[in-house]
Amino acid sequence: MDRIDFIKSCGLVCLGTTAFSLLESCASANYFAANTYTENKVLIKRSEFVKIEKDKKTLRKYVLVKTEKLNFPICVFQISENNYSAVLMECTHKGCELHTQGDYLICPCHGSEFTNTGVVQNPPAEQNLKTFIITSDNENIYVQL
């Protein structure tokens, strides 16, 4: 292979990789769960964690919840079948809105990282995220605001 063919091949590989990563990021868009707000609690149906595509059932690791009571969304993670955590998606460093990355949250402004229970893993943030008390029954999850 001569030099020109090598450069063309490398260019095509770079373009293909970029296109694939863009398509992959679009596919993993966040899911905002339907919810109701009553008596200082947000109610989310457990079924919001179930995703059905082409007759295939999978579970979401988390759902996002918007409420007029807060300026930032709440991320509700399903830790296990009956164990959930809820964290406010506001970085404790400079107040930027966090992004989900699978089982953890990351700040796009300065790179702070937090676990799915809100514990700081990477600075510059030094304080853990605001968390919420969660209760549940067979059908619903309740986030106490």
Side-chain angles (χ1 to χ4, degrees), residues 36-123:
T36 55
Y37 175 77
T38 56
E39 299 177 12
N40 217 30
K41 289 183 185 177
V42 176
L43 179 146
I44 308 162
K45 298 279 185 196
R46 281 182 181 252
S47 59
E48 291 290 333
F49 283 89
V50 178
K51 180 178 176 181
I52 299 174
E53 289 181 324
K54 298 180 183 176
D55 298 329
K56 184 180 176 186
K57 180 176 152 182
T58 58
L59 294 177
R60 293 184 171 93
K61 292 181 180 185
Y62 64 87
V63 297
L64 302 182
V65 177
K66 285 186 181 179
T67 175
E68 292 178 13
K69 187 108 167 134
L70 301 169
N71 293 329
F72 291 88
I74 297 171
C75 188
V76 180
F77 286 97
Q78 184 172 24
I79 309 296
S80 64
E81 186 177 341
N82 292 310
N83 187 18
Y84 298 88
S85 73
V87 296
L88 186 64
M89 294 183 66
E90 179 182 14
C91 185
T92 55
H93 176 238
K94 295 285 183 182
C96 294
E97 186 171 321
L98 301 172
H99 292 178
T100 53
Q101 296 289 324
D103 284 338
Y104 65 98
L105 298 161
I106 189 164
C107 180
C109 298
H110 301 106
S112 296
E113 292 181 16
F114 302 87
T115 66
N116 58 7
T117 57
V119 177
V120 176
Q121 293 296 293
N122 264 346

